[in-house]
Amino acid sequence: MLNSFQHLQNTMNRINQKLKEDKKLLSIYFTAGYPDLNDTVQVIQDLEKSGVDMVEIGLPFSDPLADGPTIQESSTTALHNGMHTELLFEQLKDIRKTVQIPLIVMGYFNPMLQYGVEAFCKKCHEIGVDGIIMPDLPLDVYQNEYQAIYKKYGLVNVFLITPQTSDARIREIDEASDGFIYMVSSASTTGAKAGFGDTQEAYFNRISEMNLKNPQVVGFGISNAETFAHATQNAKGAIIGSAFIKHLTSHGVGKIDEFVSSIR
Amino acid sequence: MTYHANEKGYYGEFGGAFIPEMLYPNCEELRSNYLRIMAEPSFQEEFHQLLKDYVGRPTPLYFAERLSEKYQTKIYLKREDLCHTGAHKVNNTIGQILMAKKLGKNRIIAETGAGQHGVATATVCALMGIQCVVYMGEIDIARQAPNVARMKMLGAEVRSALSGSRTLKDATNEAIRDWINNPVDTHYIIGSVVGPHPYPDMVARFQSVISEEIKWQLKEKEGRENPDYVVACVGGGSNAAGTYYHYLDKPEVGIIAVEAAGKGIDTTESAATSALGKVGIIHGSKSLLMQTPDGQITEPYSISAGLDYPGVGPMHAHLFTSGRGEFISVTDDEAMTAGLEISQMEGIIPAIETSHAFAIFDHRKFEKEDVIVINLSGRGDKDLQTYIDYFKL
Ligand SMILES: Cc1ncc(COP(=O)(O)O)c(C=O)c1O
């Protein structure tokens, strides 16, 4: 059971506030320290100014198993640029002076483990990060070892589901979640050209009929207005990653608003 | 105290399945079926039949007389180099291809470093008429050319891993990504005791035929099942796991693991995980791995492609931290010298991976009465070019 203080923290979390808004949410993923080491803060600020609802800040990892070439390459570049965990926290230190939208740190578990899970969560809390997505931190390990720490620092943990995830496991994940569920659109690494066909349609319908307690946000394979509109027919929102990274690669950080306005 | 995996795939604090949800159904299907399938009499029968008639098992346990004389101790060699395809790797691929068939899979993927596991996988796929894709680092493709040609000849597609250090670690990443993208029809044949649960335990069980045979072979030759020491080189640790398996919980049998120090553990070019690694997550498993303080996995180095891996399997991480295993790291130069020595003293040209295990005598003394079994994990044909270049033959 949560005590009332923790409960208060959870309900005040910006993610939960945002999910209550009566609109489809656009969330953008980008890799911290990309294209240039010190672009992180400006990218977040420009995304907010352009009307994005939520930002996922990618902490780059040397071996990003779940990512396709675009995010792999941006991670490699960011690491070459000198990005690391402590530096990211340093860059984000004053982010809440200028940015109001929910911020989520997304990465792989090993860098978090090396930093110290509690120290990492504490830092996120101090900065005003609202949630964490660690795709390779499994549900049971999270529940047995780390859930209490996440709660203590008021952090929302976001789990992924895929078209292959069984109903029973989706129920378990729904039970363990207190923000939203990250619905991976197809069996793929990031950046794969999904295009939403019959499989996705059936999957979207199946999930929507399950009446989960947590809203769902769709990610992977969303790259333009069409895929965004399609993904959000049933879901609460959608996440764009690789397509935005590609935009940064070819246009730099100056034209973020152009990308965002092309989506909706 | 046991040094085997528990039902969740943990060896002490190591192991588990730290995988993205995209891999959960794949691993769960395997986890919930592997023990049942392996216990089926029809599976056991086919597995052992193939090991006997196709692989050529049992492999001899050979008393190395001249080597024993030189080092003043009793040295036996377990001849895995005589397996079909030239290394122990095929024990595992035979087991896994049968597993894949039972699970109804019709496409196989694998990663490979030295190419031995790739060849062993391509071989069993040819045997069963199943499509095969092998991921291999670009650098390894260049230094293990004969094995690349063998895989192609066997009908496999070899895909070059271009990311990161372009060696075994990156080939493994690419294979995992392939599996994420093909979750239904594909089985991933991992080549060592690494990866998420149930792989380390499953691969160790398939390789355990090595120590099962050592037990009765040694009984015939020495009148006892237990040697004083079992010795193996450790890349990911599959030949070692197979050599130790039936001795893990027998404290009277010493366990010696030999890692690749590359140019030395005090240089930046090494693959000696026990000496240089810290606890972390690699390829879905909690283990020891070489990494920066920030948790980025570092690029290992060894002259031997099969040992050029920045982690070890969770069984070995546990053997190391618990003190059950004695870990020795051997440099490129020491391994090459030992490889030449065994060639000229016993008439056996070992794989460079295996040569590392033969260099322990520079590091450690044994009693005259000690019985030592060294796993001769593979033969050196694939490494001839490296030997030629090194010794200017
Ligand atoms: C002959 C031989 N020995 C040892 C190894 C190292 O692998 P493992 O530690 O899994 O036995 C390899 C890997 O390719 C090999 O080919």
Side-chain angles (χ1 to χ4, degrees), chain B residues 86-89 112-117 168 191-193 233-240 304-307 316 351-354 376-379 382:
Chain B
H88 68 288
K89 296 284 181 187
T112 196
Q116 283 306 113
H117 174 60
L168 182 53
S192 194
V193 287
C233 65
V234 174
S238 66
N239 88 86
S304 140
L307 304 183
H316 302 293
I352 297 176
E353 289 78 15
T354 315
L376 213 164
S377 59
R379 66 176 190 230
K382 70 182 176 64

Side-chain angles (χ1 to χ4, degrees), chain B residues 5-66:
Chain B
N6 70 15
E7 77 284 359
K8 288 192 142 185
Y10 279 89
Y11 299 82
E13 69 167 302
F14 302 108
F18 291 79
I19 46 170
E21 194 62 29
M22 292 80 106
L23 281 177
Y24 183 84
N26 313 29
C27 289
E28 182 57 19
E29 181 184 27
L30 198 57
R31 188 201 63 77
S32 56
N33 287 298
Y34 83 112
L35 289 176
R36 178 184 57 73
I37 291 176
M38 284 180 75
E40 284 173 11
S42 65
F43 182 94
Q44 282 299 323
E45 196 180 315
E46 202 176 354
F47 181 54
H48 286 288
Q49 193 74 45
L50 284 169
L51 288 183
K52 178 164 172 279
D53 297 339
Y54 188 74
V55 174
R57 302 203 74 92
T59 59
L61 183 69
Y62 162 72
F63 178 61
E65 198 171 333
R66 295 189 64 206

Side-chain angles (χ1 to χ4, degrees), chain B residues 6-300:
Chain B
N6 70 15
E7 77 284 359
K8 288 192 142 185
Y10 279 89
Y11 299 82
E13 69 167 302
F14 302 108
F18 291 79
I19 46 170
E21 194 62 29
M22 292 80 106
L23 281 177
Y24 183 84
N26 313 29
C27 289
E28 182 57 19
E29 181 184 27
L30 198 57
R31 188 201 63 77
S32 56
N33 287 298
Y34 83 112
L35 289 176
R36 178 184 57 73
I37 291 176
M38 284 180 75
E40 284 173 11
S42 65
F43 182 94
Q44 282 299 323
E45 196 180 315
E46 202 176 354
F47 181 54
H48 286 288
Q49 193 74 45
L50 284 169
L51 288 183
K52 178 164 172 279
D53 297 339
Y54 188 74
V55 174
R57 302 203 74 92
T59 59
L61 183 69
Y62 162 72
F63 178 61
E65 198 171 333
R66 295 189 64 206
L67 211 59
S68 298
E69 178 64 29
K70 172 162 183 189
Y71 291 107
Q72 288 294 298
T73 190
K74 280 182 154 171
I75 303 168
Y76 283 89
L77 308 183
K78 181 60 174 161
R79 298 290 308 274
E80 293 300 297
D81 60 317
L82 296 178
C83 288
H84 177 44
T85 71
H88 68 288
K89 296 284 181 187
V90 73
N91 303 326
N92 169 45
T93 61
I94 293 272
Q96 287 207 49
I97 198 79
L98 296 177
M99 181 68 62
K101 275 176 63 182
K102 292 267 185 193
L103 293 171
K105 308 291 174 181
N106 57 26
R107 179 175 177 270
I108 295 295
I109 53 171
E111 85 296 338
T112 196
Q116 283 306 113
H117 174 60
V119 167
T121 305
T123 298
V124 297
C125 287
L127 180 68
M128 300 294 173
I130 295 182
Q131 186 197 348
C132 179
V133 175
V134 178
Y135 290 89
M136 190 169 186
E138 200 185 26
I139 290 182
D140 293 337
I141 288 182
R143 63 178 162 173
Q144 303 283 311
N147 274 344
V148 177
R150 288 165 85 196
M151 286 185 269
K152 289 185 179 161
M153 181 124 187
L154 291 160
E157 181 192 342
V158 179
R159 288 192 191 161
S160 156
L162 300 170
S163 58
S165 52
R166 291 166 292 144
T167 61
L168 182 53
K169 157 177 96 80
D170 314 284
T172 309
N173 290 341
E174 288 305 324
I176 291 175
R177 289 181 187 121
D178 183 309
W179 209 24
I180 288 175
N181 284 284
N182 298 284
V184 180
D185 64 338
T186 298
H187 175 71
Y188 176 19
I189 301 191
I190 291 187
S192 194
V193 287
V194 300
H197 179 56
Y199 278 104
D201 184 51
M202 181 173 72
V203 175
R205 283 169 191 260
F206 287 139
Q207 291 292 359
S208 72
V209 64
I210 300 173
S211 58
E212 198 177 297
E213 289 173 4
I214 295 173
K215 271 171 46 182
W216 63 259
Q217 290 173 320
L218 201 63
K219 177 95 180 163
E220 277 180 13
K221 292 184 195 300
E222 289 286 331
R224 53 168 163 138
E225 285 189 347
N226 297 349
D228 295 294
Y229 297 95
V230 278
V231 181
C233 65
V234 174
S238 66
N239 88 86
T243 307
Y244 308 156
Y245 196 86
H246 289 88
Y247 300 119
L248 282 170
D249 292 339
K250 300 213 163 113
E252 64 274 25
V253 180
I255 286 176
I256 299 179
V258 186
E259 290 183 320
K263 299 198 170 146
I265 54 170
D266 47 2
T267 72
T268 52
E269 291 174 281
S270 182
T273 304
S274 69
L276 301 172
K278 274 183 52 197
V279 178
I281 311 291
I282 182 166
H283 296 139
S285 179
K286 190 176 212 182
S287 192
L288 291 171
L289 59 135
M290 291 164 49
Q291 53 183 317
T292 66
D294 196 40
Q296 308 296 340
I297 301 177
T298 52
E299 303 184 355

Side-chain angles (χ1 to χ4, degrees), chain A residues 60-67 72 79 84-85 110-111 114 135-136 138 140 160 162 164-165 169 173 187-189 220, chain B residues 8 17-22 24-25 163 169 173 176-177 180-181 183-184 278-281 291 293-297:
Chain A
F61 181 49
S62 55
D63 293 76
L65 290 180
D67 287 300
Q72 282 175 45
L79 291 172
H84 59 83
T85 313
N110 195 48
Q114 301 312 319
D136 59 343
D140 60 332
L160 276 54
T162 82
Q164 271 69 42
T165 313
R169 185 157 170 93
I173 286 171
S188 72
T189 44
F220 288 38
Chain B
K8 288 192 142 185
F18 291 79
I19 46 170
E21 194 62 29
M22 292 80 106
Y24 183 84
S163 58
K169 157 177 96 80
N173 290 341
I176 291 175
R177 289 181 187 121
I180 288 175
N181 284 284
V184 180
K278 274 183 52 197
V279 178
I281 311 291
Q291 53 183 317
D294 196 40
Q296 308 296 340
I297 301 177

Side-chain angles (χ1 to χ4, degrees), chain A residues 14 55 58 82 134 137 139 146 185 192 227:
Chain A
R14 290 177 198 88
V55 175
M134 290 285 154
L137 172 58
L139 176 63
Y146 304 120
S185 65
T227 39

